[in-house]
Amino acid sequence: MKSFTKWFNLKKTAQSAPIPGTSQVRNDNAGYVWAVDDWARLDRFLILGSEGGTFYASEQKLTRDNAEAVLRCIAADGARVVARIVEVSQAGRAPKNDPALFALALAAKLGDEPTRRAAHAALPRVARIATHLFHFAEYVKALGGWGRGTMRAFARWYNDMDAGRLAVQAVKYQSRDGWSHRDVLRKAHPVAPGAQHQAIFNWMVKGWDSVGETPHPDRVLATIWAFERAKRMKDRADVAQLCALITQYDLPHECVPTECKQFPEIWEALLPHMGLTAMLRNLGKMTEVGLLASLSDAERFVVARLAHAEGLRKARVHPLALLVALKTYAQGHGDKGKLTWQPRQKIVDALDAAFYLSFQTLAPTGARTLLALDVSGSMTGPVIAGMPGITPRVGSAAMALVTAAVEPNHEIVAFTSGKHKSMHAGYPTGISPLAISPRMRLDDVLEKTTNLPFGGTNCALPMLWAAEKKVPVDVFCVYTDSETWAGDIHPVQALRAYRQKTGIGAKLVVIGMVSNGFTIADPNDAGMLDVVGFDTATPSIISDFATPAARA
């Protein structure tokens, strides 16, 4: 009798086998989970991308799998796909815009006629700067090349843009991915809507033979004149004149010759007009040259900008970009190159605070929340969305602290090596409470999670631990890649057993930290939710799901 239920049990099934009667599939680590549907996978791809792959799946495999899921969505409802791409891109919900551009190229080249028209019309809303446009051009090239609709879409991108903004695009983003404005214009053949556009097009294609000392009389074209003057300046004697050009014509740092970026006066002139993303990327350099010094106006300016939530939102500064900036700046050196600096503590603290500000405003729900971080080996794999230094393990700790900062009734635990042993000998698993809180700086929290020991991945452990310790939990939030395999009971079975034992209608939120196709949440259970890690909307979605009304 006992041997029958050992191998066929609806309440307790080893994770190395599917729960009988369910649609579970095998994950990349030989455990059984559920497959997310194509629309959920579209969201994961748009937000997390596939750069670097995962611990178990190569970048090539992950990209192909995601692209095929996107194509299935396009075939099912192309207009919905394009609308979703625009929504995620415009709201700044993804750390990088590349997945949105690639998905838009798939719709533009491989969708039906209405989908292609919708994708072409959406191009200016997704490719908001010339760098995006060059990326899109390369994707289009790889997916079959330029047709008449593609040519018109690129032509409209240039012609519909205000001439003043187009001049800035021309000098700031000159080439990328082997494409330049000249290349695109020669493919698109736009007919200029006016004299200013025509003059800018001429400069993009042919340049100017000579540049005088007198500014161009047209204010729009004077931006190009200022750039042409600036790029000829190379040494200390030119600094005053270059600063004047930067200030008068709002030249971005891309227009400044590398030789002049060693002078603090240059960065002082650039800083007031610098975009937030550019400011984040250049904090180390501005510190190294001495601009961000003790009690300096520049440091106060930077700290004030980072404390402005609405400014962060308007600039589409993603939380992951702030996390990268914090991690990089606090360590005092970049991941590439030889630049080093002595971090300013006020800047570090401002970056830490800005990370929390960059998420949507949340209100506490009062739910008893267990935040469970998967810190297993697979979570130390390739970085999230290609962002340097931010592995899924690091990202999960940061994401958890966003909820912890709002919810007063929370506990944070991690899957680690411990006393729970499964049928897989040699892989002990356990739960370790984490002595971390949002009052700690993020860089200190990340260091703590990096040094945790880990065993086999068992995503049932949070529910087993809470049941064993008699911990009352309303919402289990599990941050994972769903590559669970080492348990003798599936996470959903452990959750249902916890509900039955405690009488609490506990919910499970699975925060997917990579763009694979797996989840430990049962799609047929209304008390389980699957969301995407590092979507800026995720904390508010969790909050809505965890409210008492939602739990009832």
Side-chain angles (χ1 to χ4, degrees):
M1 289 285 294
K2 196 170 184 180
S3 64
F4 297 148
T5 55
K6 178 180 179 181
W7 303 115
F8 192 94
N9 192 325
L10 297 180
K11 292 186 176 181
K12 186 177 182 181
T13 308
Q15 293 179 33
S16 58
I19 299 173
T22 68
S23 58
Q24 285 191 313
V25 298
R26 186 170 175 170
N27 63 24
D28 290 324
N29 200 22
Y32 279 83
V33 291
W34 277 272
V36 296
D37 66 27
D38 287 336
W39 294 100
R41 187 138 197 192
L42 171 66
D43 279 356
R44 286 191 183 186
F45 177 65
L46 291 176
I47 293 163
L48 298 175
S50 58
E51 188 175 348
T54 69
F55 191 83
Y56 295 109
S58 68
E59 180 175 335
Q60 178 185 18
K61 181 181 184 301
L62 191 64
T63 301
R64 288 180 65 91
D65 290 348
N66 277 303
E68 289 167 359
V70 174
L71 287 175
R72 289 192 294 271
C73 290
I74 290 171
D77 190 342
R80 177 182 171 187
V81 172
V82 173
R84 189 61 170 167
I85 292 168
V86 172
E87 178 187 354
V88 170
S89 179
Q90 284 197 311
R93 291 172 60 180
K96 286 189 174 183
N97 203 35
D98 296 6
L101 291 164
F102 180 66
L104 190 68
L106 289 173
K109 298 305 298 181
L110 302 176
D112 58 18
E113 184 60 32
T115 299
R116 292 198 296 270
R117 286 198 300 267
H120 290 147
L123 181 59
R125 288 176 288 167
V126 181
R128 292 176 294 275
I129 60 176
T131 294
H132 297 162
L133 190 73
F134 298 146
H135 288 330
F136 186 76
E138 185 62 16
Y139 296 145
V140 165
K141 177 183 175 182
L143 294 172
W146 293 50
R148 189 172 300 174
T150 303
M151 293 171 59
R152 287 197 295 264
F154 276 90
R156 284 196 300 269
W157 190 92
Y158 285 97
N159 287 340
D160 292 350
M161 188 176 293
D162 171 79
R165 182 165 176 255
L166 182 60
V168 174
Q169 296 291 308
V171 300
K172 186 174 183 179
Y173 310 105
Q174 295 186 58
S175 64
R176 188 66 64 89
D177 290 347
W179 289 86
S180 67
H181 288 291
R182 179 176 62 181
D183 300 326
V184 176
L185 290 174
R186 286 177 171 174
K187 295 281 286 186
H189 302 296
V191 177
Q196 288 178 324
H197 276 74
Q198 187 61 60
I200 296 170
F201 292 167
N202 288 340
W203 178 77
M204 288 175 171
V205 175
K206 300 177 182 178
W208 286 351
D209 292 334
S210 61
V211 181
E213 295 187 6
T214 304
H216 197 287
D218 186 305
R219 183 62 182 85
V220 168
L221 300 181
T223 298
I224 296 175
W225 170 85
F227 166 69
E228 289 284 356
R229 291 285 296 171
K231 73 181 186 181
R232 291 165 169 77
M233 300 177 182
K234 305 293 184 183
D235 52 41
R236 165 61 77 177
D238 298 319
V239 167
Q241 187 178 359
L242 181 53
C243 287
L245 289 172
I246 292 168
T247 302
Q248 186 173 355
Y249 297 98
D250 291 346
L251 293 182
H253 75 92
E254 290 90 347
C255 296
V256 176
T258 302
E259 297 88 340
C260 292
K261 290 186 176 180
Q262 61 180 306
F263 304 119
E265 300 95 324
I266 297 296
W267 291 101
E268 187 175 20
L270 288 167
L271 185 57
H273 310 288
M274 192 181 295
L276 266 169
T277 300
M279 188 185 81
L280 291 173
R281 291 174 178 169
N282 288 287
L283 288 173
K285 182 63 178 179
M286 289 189 288
T287 303
E288 188 265 342
V289 301
L291 180 65
L292 301 180
S294 177
L295 300 178
S296 65
D297 291 339
E299 183 177 70
R300 284 195 295 274
F301 179 83
V302 168
V303 170
R305 286 194 78 186
L306 291 173
H308 191 221
E310 184 62 17
L312 293 169
R313 186 191 65 80
K314 286 185 176 180
R316 296 186 180 89
V317 178
H318 194 274
L320 198 52
L322 287 161
L323 188 57
V324 171
L326 170 62
K327 189 174 184 298
T328 302
Y329 186 77
Q331 71 188 14
H333 61 84
D335 293 325
K336 297 179 181 178
K338 299 180 181 179
L339 182 66
T340 61
W341 58 88
Q342 185 62 42
R344 295 285 305 152
Q345 190 58 52
K346 287 183 179 179
I347 302 292
V348 173
D349 292 341
L351 288 168
D352 185 271
F355 173 78
Y356 295 101
L357 283 176
S358 62
F359 286 95
Q360 295 180 10
T361 303
L362 303 176
T365 67
R368 297 165 294 187
T369 305
L370 185 66
L371 304 166
L373 313 184
D374 181 352
V375 294
S376 63
S378 63
M379 295 286 281
T380 64
V383 296
I384 297 174
M387 304 298 274
I390 310 301
T391 63
R393 176 190 275 197
V394 169
S396 65
M399 283 290 295
L401 288 184
V402 175
T403 298
V406 176
E407 294 296 349
N409 301 319
H410 74 267
E411 182 81 17
I412 304 178
V413 299
F415 308 167
T416 56
S417 179
K419 69 175 185 177
H420 293 275
K421 292 187 178 180
S422 72
M423 59 176 23
H424 304 275
Y427 288 95
T429 60
I431 283 286
S432 296
L434 288 180
I436 62 176
S437 79
R439 291 186 296 275
M440 300 169 61
R441 278 219 325 267
L442 271 171
D443 51 331
D444 295 328
V445 171
L446 302 183
E447 184 177 351
K448 281 201 171 208
T449 58
T450 298
N451 295 325
L452 288 171
F454 54 84
T457 308
N458 181 1
C459 289
L461 286 176
M463 286 68 76
L464 296 176
W465 178 84
E468 179 185 341
K469 300 294 184 181
K470 297 182 172 58
V471 178
V473 177
D474 296 313
V475 183
F476 293 90
C477 294
V478 179
Y479 299 80
T480 181
D481 57 4
S482 293
E483 297 287 3
T484 187
W485 61 276
D488 291 331
I489 184 172
H490 279 262
V492 297
Q493 293 171 321
L495 176 65
R496 287 164 185 153
Y498 177 84
R499 290 168 175 168
Q500 186 174 11
K501 180 177 181 179
T502 64
I504 300 172
K507 292 189 169 187
L508 171 65
V509 182
V510 181
I511 299 93
M513 299 304 296
V514 298
S515 63
N516 62 19
F518 308 124
T519 178
I520 61 172
D522 183 350
N524 298 311
D525 188 325
M528 301 184 194
L529 177 69
D530 189 84
V531 293
V532 183
F534 273 109
D535 178 351
T536 55
T538 286
S540 63
I541 293 171
I542 295 173
S543 178
D544 289 343
F545 188 67
T547 56
R551 292 198 308 272

